C-alpha cells in the first residue's frame, strides 16, 4: 500500500464507530450451482435442486436489493461456486455503486482459472477503492483435497488459478489472494505440511484455517475439537510468512483473526456464544432466491426480499425477525462455532481494539518467517 492508500484505508476503517442502520457484514449466496461435491457444505441440499436454478435473483433484482440496502462494510459472495454465474462482476459493481463496501470477499474452489481471472480483472476495472479478496479453498494435499471436494484434478486447478491471480496482483494491489483450509477430520494430519508448502512456494496475502459450522453437518463438527483447532490456528496466524509488510489490510485482518479465534474459544468454553452474537444486526445472509437469514448455521429464513420490495430493512423489522430473536437468540439458546459473528464482535467492539493493535504491531515487527511444528 502507498502512503495515500494507507491513509484512505485508515479513514475508511473509522466507519466502525458510526451508527449503522443495516448489517455491515453481508453474505450473499449468489448461486446454488456448484461443480464440487464437498461433504461438509451446509448448503449441500440446495446444490442438487435443479428447479431452484431457474429462480436465481437476476442482476436487475440484485440492483434493486443494493439500491434499497444502504452503506455496508463488507460483502461476501458465496454459493455454490460464485464464478459459475457469468455476472459476478456485475453483482459486485451494483453493490459497490450503491452500498460502498470497503471489502468484497469471494471464496472459490478455483476450478475455473480463465473465468476467474477475467471476472477479477473486470471487477478491479469497475471499482476504485474497494479491496477485492479472492479466497482459494484447499482442504488437504492433492489426493485428500480431491477426495474431500469429490472432483479429480481440482487440487491442480487451484494453483493454476493462483498463478493467474498472482499475475493480476502485480499490477493491482487491491487484489488480495487468500488461502483457506477448512479444518476437517480428513486433513488434520496434513495441515502442517500444507502450510509449510504454502509458506515456501506461494505468496498468499493471508493464510488461514477455519472451523466448519452448520446444524446440517453436526456429524462432522462432533468429530472435531475447537480447542485443538484454536491452538493450530494461532500458530499459523502468528508464524506464517508475511508477504508484504506494507499491506496494512492483510496484516490487520490477520491480527483480527487471532483475536476472533480467542473470542470464540472463550465463548464456547463459557457457554456464552449468544452474548457475543449479533445475528441479523451486524451480519445477515441472503440466498440465491432472495431469502434472508439472520444466522447461517441455524438457516431459518425470516422473509424473502422479493415479497418485501427488495428492502432488507423491512425484512429485518418484521414479525418473523422478532420471532426469530425470541426463539434462537439470547443467553443459553445457542453455542455454535460460526466464526463470522466472532469476527464482527472483534471489529465492532472497542474493548478488543488494544489486543488487535498489539498483534498488528507484533506482525509488523516480527523477525522469524517459519513455523515450528
Amino acid at each position: 500500500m502507498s502512503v495515500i492508500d494507507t491513509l484512505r484505508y485508515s479513514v475508511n476503517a473509522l466507519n466502525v464507530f458510526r451508527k449503522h442502520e443495516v448489517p455491515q457484514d453481508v453474505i450473499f449466496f449468489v448461486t446454488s450451482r456448484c461443480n464440487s461435491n464437498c461433504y461438509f457444505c451446509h448448503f449441500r441440499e440446495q446444490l442438487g435442486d435443479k428447479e431452484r436454478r431457474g429462480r436465481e435473483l437476476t442482476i436487475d433484482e440484485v440492483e434493486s436489493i443494493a439500491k434499497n440496502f444502504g452503506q455496508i462494510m463488507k460483502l461476501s459472495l458465496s454459493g455454490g461456486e460464485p464464478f459459475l454465474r457469468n455476472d459476478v462482476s456485475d453483482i459486485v459493481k451494483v453493490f459497490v455503486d450503491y452500498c460502498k463496501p470497503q471489502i468484497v470477499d469471494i471464496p472459490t474452489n478455483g476450478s475455473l482459472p480463465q473465468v476467474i481471472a477475467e471476472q477479477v480483472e473486470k471487477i478491479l476495472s469497475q471499482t476504485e477503492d474497494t479491496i477485492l479478496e479472492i479466497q482459494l479453498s484447499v482442504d488437504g494435499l492433492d489426493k485428500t483435497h480431491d477426495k474431500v471436494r469429490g472432483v479429480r484434478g481440482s487440487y491442480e486447478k487451484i494453483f493454476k488459478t493462483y498463478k493467474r491471480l498472482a499475475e493480476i496482483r502485480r499490477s493491482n494491489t487491491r487484489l488480495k489472494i487468500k488461502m483457506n483450509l477448512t479444518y476437517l477430520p480428513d486433513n488434520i494430519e496434513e495441515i502442517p505440511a500444507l502450510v509449510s508448502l504454502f509458506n515456501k512456494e506461494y505468496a498468499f496475502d493471508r493464510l488461514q484455517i477455519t472451523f466448519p459450522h452448520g446444524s446440517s453437518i453436526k456429524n462432522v463438527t462432533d468429530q472435531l475439537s475447537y480447542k485443538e483447532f484454536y491452538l493450530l490456528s494461532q500458530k499459523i496466524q502468528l508464524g506464517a510468512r508475511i508477504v508484504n509488510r506494507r499491506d496494512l489490510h492483510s496484516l490487520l485482518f490477520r491480527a483480527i483473526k487471532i483475536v476472533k479465534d480467542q473470542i470464540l474459544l472463550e465463548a464456547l468454553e463459557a457457554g456464552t456464544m449468544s452474548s457475543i452474537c449479533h445475528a441479523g444486526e451486524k451480519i445477515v445472509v441472503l440466498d440465491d432466491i432472495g431469502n434472508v437469514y439472520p444466522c447461517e448455521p441455524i438457516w431459518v429464513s425470516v422473509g424473502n426480499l422479493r415479497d418485501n420490495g427488495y428492502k432488507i430493512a423491512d425484512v429485518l423489522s418484521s414479525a418473523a425477525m422478532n420471532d426469530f430473536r425470541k426463539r434462537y437468540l439470547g443467553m443459553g439458546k445457542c453455542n455454535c462455532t460460526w466464526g463470522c459473528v466472532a469476527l464482527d464482535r472483534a471489529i465492532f467492539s472497542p474493548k478488543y481494539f488494544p489486543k488487535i493493535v498489539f498483534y498488528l504491531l507484533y506482525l509488523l515487527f516480527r523477525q522469524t518467517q517459519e513455523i515450528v511444528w
Side-chain angles (χ1 to χ4, degrees):
M1 277 182 159
S2 67
V3 174
I4 293 175
D5 288 338
T6 300
L7 288 173
R8 184 186 293 117
Y9 184 88
S10 300
V11 170
N12 288 338
L14 295 176
N15 284 330
V16 298
F17 293 107
R18 66 181 178 84
K19 185 177 180 180
H20 306 113
E21 301 298 328
V22 293
Q24 293 298 288
D25 190 352
V26 179
I27 301 172
F28 182 11
F29 284 72
V30 296
T31 186
S32 62
R33 288 173 280 168
C34 195
N35 52 2
S36 289
N37 188 27
C38 311
Y39 73 82
F40 60 89
C41 177
H42 79 276
F43 201 52
R44 188 179 176 89
E45 289 184 12
Q46 290 83 351
L47 300 183
D49 188 345
K50 294 182 180 180
E51 183 272 335
R52 182 187 183 98
R53 298 173 188 177
R55 296 188 288 135
E56 279 184 356
L57 291 164
T58 66
I59 189 61
D60 289 337
E61 289 181 300
V62 173
E63 183 171 12
S64 295
I65 294 169
K67 192 182 296 184
N68 288 293
F69 210 103
Q71 188 170 344
I72 63 176
M73 187 188 78
K74 181 171 177 280
L75 171 69
S76 299
L77 301 187
S78 189
E81 169 51 46
F83 288 102
L84 285 175
R85 281 194 68 145
N86 59 14
D87 58 356
V88 166
S89 58
D90 298 324
I91 292 173
V92 172
K93 186 178 187 303
V94 296
F95 268 98
V96 169
D97 287 347
Y98 292 107
C99 304
K100 310 292 189 252
Q102 297 167 41
I103 304 162
V104 173
D105 178 81
I106 309 178
T108 174
N109 60 27
S111 61
L112 305 164
Q114 180 68 23
V115 171
I116 293 170
E118 290 174 355
Q119 288 288 309
V120 164
E121 288 184 317
K122 191 174 180 182
I123 291 170
L124 292 170
S125 71
Q126 292 175 339
T127 58
E128 294 182 359
D129 299 327
T130 306
I131 289 174
L132 175 62
E133 292 191 334
I134 301 298
Q135 177 177 300
L136 299 173
S137 302
V138 170
D139 299 311
L141 294 169
D142 50 1
K143 291 181 180 179
T144 300
H145 175 84
D146 288 0
K147 176 186 174 184
V148 168
R149 291 274 158 176
V151 180
R152 184 178 297 177
S154 59
Y155 182 86
E156 183 180 351
K157 285 185 178 179
I158 286 175
F159 297 100
K160 288 181 179 178
T161 298
Y162 166 80
K163 289 179 181 178
R164 296 296 301 273
L165 293 174
E167 290 173 7
I168 298 170
R169 184 179 56 184
R170 289 191 189 99
S171 59
N172 197 324
T173 57
R174 284 191 294 119
L175 173 61
K176 311 297 179 186
I177 309 172
K178 182 167 61 174
M179 177 57 76
N180 185 78
L181 297 88
T182 303
Y183 188 74
L184 298 168
D186 306 73
N187 66 17
I188 292 174
E189 299 300 322
E190 295 182 357
I191 288 176
L194 274 168
V195 173
S196 297
L197 173 67
F198 298 155
N199 262 348
K200 183 179 179 181
E201 302 292 338
Y202 301 95
F204 294 111
D205 298 296
R206 279 200 286 154
L207 170 61
Q208 64 181 31
I209 60 172
T210 53
F211 199 89
H213 61 264
S215 56
S216 63
I217 58 166
K218 192 173 184 297
N219 62 316
V220 177
T221 56
D222 282 351
Q223 300 177 57
L224 302 169
S225 161
Y226 189 85
K227 180 64 175 290
E228 292 176 3
F229 159 84
Y230 164 80
L231 294 172
L232 184 59
S233 179
Q234 295 283 293
K235 181 176 286 191
I236 292 170
Q237 294 307 312
L238 290 168
R241 176 185 175 193
I242 295 172
V243 174
N244 180 5
R245 291 185 190 275
R246 297 177 63 188
D247 181 2
L248 178 61
H249 168 79
S250 296
L251 288 174
L252 176 60
F253 270 83
R254 190 159 157 179
I256 291 171
K257 161 74 170 164
I258 294 169
V259 176
K260 162 229 169 177
D261 286 345
Q262 294 174 358
I263 293 171
L264 190 52
L265 177 68
E266 291 169 4
L268 290 171
E269 290 186 338
T272 56
M273 180 65 178
S274 52
S275 69
I276 70 167
C277 179
H278 293 280
E281 179 184 344
K282 298 295 185 188
I283 187 169
V284 71
V285 182
L286 318 177
D287 75 8
D288 54 315
I289 58 175
N291 291 316
V292 178
Y293 305 86
C295 172
E296 196 173 285
I298 294 175
W299 205 249
V300 171
S301 173
V302 295
N304 189 286
L305 288 163
R306 283 171 166 157
D307 300 329
N308 289 272
Y310 302 101
K311 296 178 182 178
I312 189 67
D314 287 359
V315 177
L316 294 180
S317 61
S318 66
M321 182 65 207
N322 288 332
D323 289 343
F324 181 93
R325 287 193 188 96
K326 292 175 183 177
R327 182 173 181 181
Y328 296 108
L329 304 182
M331 286 301 293
K333 295 182 180 179
C334 175
N335 212 40
C336 75
T337 57
W338 193 23
C340 293
V341 295
L343 183 74
D344 290 334
R345 180 74 168 180
I347 291 172
F348 293 105
S349 300
K351 66 179 283 188
Y352 296 109
F353 292 178
K355 268 191 173 184
I356 293 171
V357 171
F358 171 82
Y359 286 114
L360 175 60
L361 293 173
Y362 172 83
L363 293 170
L364 277 168
F365 296 104
R366 194 195 72 193
Q367 298 301 313
T368 58
Q369 291 276 22
E370 294 183 5
I371 303 175
V372 179
W373 300 104

